[in-house]
Amino acid sequence: MTSSPRLGIQLYSVRTLCEDASYKTTLTQLAQLGFEGAELAWKYGGMNPQELADFLQSIGLQTAGMHVKLDELLTPGHQVYQYAKALGSPFITTSQHTRTGDWPQVIQQLQAAGRIARDHGLQLTYHNHAQEFITVDGQTSLPWDQLIAQTDPALVALELDLGWAHKAGADAIATWHQSAARTPQIHLRDYSRERQTMCDIGDGFLDCTVIKRDAKRLGTRWVIYEQDAYPISPMDSAKVCATGWREA
């Protein structure tokens, strides 16, 4: 029987509340809202790997993943690997939202990073933005399709951000279904094409009931909320997501 997907939060969603002095308070509040895991983004609250692992365990928050820079991944001895292993992170993730003209090189670098991550016992996943679903001048296929076709699934898995794909004009849900076997994580980001803006979960094209149902059927392990524009505040928007997921 397929296990239920877990709800995580990408800490970039609450980045202004994740300085060292407020880090523990913020993560404790997120756990209390009902998030089961956190996907870290460059900040560790001033704690070393073991201290952070002990803290997360004390508040009942798992590590849903870690988002890091590609050059960090390509450095075998970088501290990101120490943090990932200490935290028990199953995935280590990167994105390349500023690179469109050298996509073949990006693909080669992702393959190399995937091998290094595998040597550390980790699975690399790639997080998209809108650019991967927009054809680059002179090319006939989407960067996203090239990524899937030209990388080894064992080395480069996918963390599909539904909102960015939808913003670019793609059918985000269909894209997820098509690559489900290679997509252990998705990003739960909502977007309104009518208003042309990111929005709270449920105020755009996303329906938590559908996402939860499909994630369970497809075997998606982590559904990770991310939002970087808020009607009121980062924590208020996080609460909207946690409540919507719980009630779905």
Side-chain angles (χ1 to χ4, degrees), residues 73-85:
L73 287 173
L74 290 169
T75 305
H78 200 281
Q79 68 169 0
V80 295
Y81 290 113
Q82 300 170 28
Y83 274 98
K85 288 189 279 189

Side-chain angles (χ1 to χ4, degrees), residues 61-73:
L61 207 57
Q62 299 177 55
T63 303
M66 288 176 52
H67 193 111
V68 304
K69 297 176 181 178
L70 180 55
D71 62 352
E72 294 173 337
L73 287 173

Side-chain angles (χ1 to χ4, degrees), residues 34-213:
F35 289 100
E36 299 171 87
E39 183 179 39
L40 279 64
W42 308 295
K43 295 181 179 181
Y44 308 109
M47 292 174 273
N48 66 39
Q50 191 56 54
E51 289 171 341
L52 182 53
D54 291 342
F55 168 67
L56 292 175
Q57 184 177 28
S58 74
I59 61 172
L61 207 57
Q62 299 177 55
T63 303
M66 288 176 52
H67 193 111
V68 304
K69 297 176 181 178
L70 180 55
D71 62 352
E72 294 173 337
L73 287 173
L74 290 169
T75 305
H78 200 281
Q79 68 169 0
V80 295
Y81 290 113
Q82 300 170 28
Y83 274 98
K85 288 189 279 189
L87 299 176
S89 178
F91 310 109
I92 195 161
T93 305
T94 196
S95 61
Q96 291 293 289
H97 71 281
T98 61
R99 294 173 67 180
T100 56
D102 60 343
W103 198 240
Q105 183 180 6
V106 170
I107 288 175
Q108 292 178 1
Q109 290 176 326
L110 290 173
Q111 282 277 100
R115 292 188 186 95
I116 296 171
R118 183 179 62 182
D119 290 343
H120 282 284
L122 300 166
Q123 174 66 66
L124 171 66
T125 60
Y126 182 80
H127 174 277
N128 64 283
H129 291 81
Q131 68 170 29
E132 289 85 356
F133 294 93
I134 300 172
T135 303
V136 179
D137 290 344
Q139 298 187 3
T140 58
S141 60
L142 294 173
W144 182 257
D145 294 333
Q146 295 173 35
L147 174 69
I148 290 175
Q150 297 174 30
T151 55
D152 182 346
L155 297 178
V156 184
L158 307 171
E159 181 183 68
L160 177 64
D161 188 301
L162 299 175
W164 280 118
H166 183 74
K167 181 180 187 296
D171 185 332
I173 302 302
T175 300
W176 172 28
H177 290 191
Q178 290 162 5
S179 59
R182 196 172 173 174
T183 310
Q185 307 158 291
I186 60 170
H187 267 201
L188 192 68
R189 181 198 299 272
D190 214 343
Y191 181 82
S192 169
R193 287 178 179 166
E194 293 74 19
R195 301 191 301 276
Q196 297 186 2
T197 185
M198 301 296 179
C199 55
D200 280 351
I201 301 300
D203 286 346
F205 78 106
L206 290 179
D207 181 335
C208 280
T209 300
V210 172
I211 299 299
K212 182 180 281 190
R213 179 201 67 199

Side-chain angles (χ1 to χ4, degrees), residues 16 199-200 203 225 227 229-240:
T16 58
C199 55
D200 280 351
D203 286 346
Y225 160 72
Q227 187 168 334
Y230 326 96
I232 301 175
S233 73
M235 198 59 75
D236 282 301
S237 290
K239 184 176 181 179
V240 168

Side-chain angles (χ1 to χ4, degrees), residues 9-20 22-23 26 30 41-43 189 226-230 234-235:
I9 179 169
Q10 164 53 253
L11 293 184
Y12 189 76
S13 304
V14 289
R15 59 196 176 280
T16 58
L17 306 176
C18 282
E19 299 305 324
D20 288 357
S22 56
Y23 197 89
T26 296
L30 294 173
W42 308 295
K43 295 181 179 181
R189 181 198 299 272
E226 185 175 17
Q227 187 168 334
D228 46 28
Y230 326 96
M235 198 59 75

